[in-house]
Amino acid sequence: MSYEIILIGGGGHAKVLLDAYTENKIIGYTDKKETDIAKLFSINYIGSDKEINSFPHDSIKLLLGIGSVWENKQRAEIFNHWTQQNYVFE
């Protein structure tokens, strides 16, 4: 089954994922504010992460585009938050 994907994050790691990710359809990205990836990759800015709630969990997958060189508590918190709401990460 093919899923539409929402990318969480609009920074450097998200750009790397967009460069590499060609197999499934990324319908947009979330971030605190619109970033330059909207124009660079012709991808829709959906809004903040809260907007993910407007998509049924069984209709999309999420892709975590927040990177870190060191341990990143924010990545874990985001992953745990959405998986507890039955969303699945790609």
Side-chain angles (χ1 to χ4, degrees):
M1 181 175 196
S2 178
Y3 285 90
E4 294 182 320
I5 297 171
I6 294 176
L7 176 63
I8 298 175
H13 185 62
K15 290 176 185 176
V16 171
L17 292 175
L18 285 168
D19 267 341
Y21 223 82
T22 58
E23 292 185 21
N24 289 299
K25 185 177 180 187
I26 297 177
I27 60 170
Y29 76 100
T30 62
D31 205 308
K32 294 177 184 174
K33 61 181 180 172
E34 189 170 5
T35 66
D36 65 343
I37 69 168
K39 291 179 184 175
L40 289 172
F41 292 92
S42 299
I43 186 172
N44 294 322
Y45 173 62
I46 294 171
S48 73
D49 291 357
K50 293 177 185 177
E51 298 303 319
I52 294 170
N53 288 311
S54 64
F55 297 86
H57 67 84
D58 57 353
S59 70
I60 62 163
K61 287 189 177 184
L62 303 176
L63 186 59
L64 191 51
I66 297 172
S68 175
V69 176
W70 310 110
E71 181 180 341
N72 190 327
K73 184 178 177 183
Q74 181 185 18
R75 284 176 55 89
E77 288 173 351
I78 291 169
F79 179 84
N80 291 334
H81 172 79
W82 293 110
T83 55
Q84 288 171 2
Q85 294 185 48
N86 296 317
Y87 286 89
V88 174
F89 281 83
E90 183 71 4

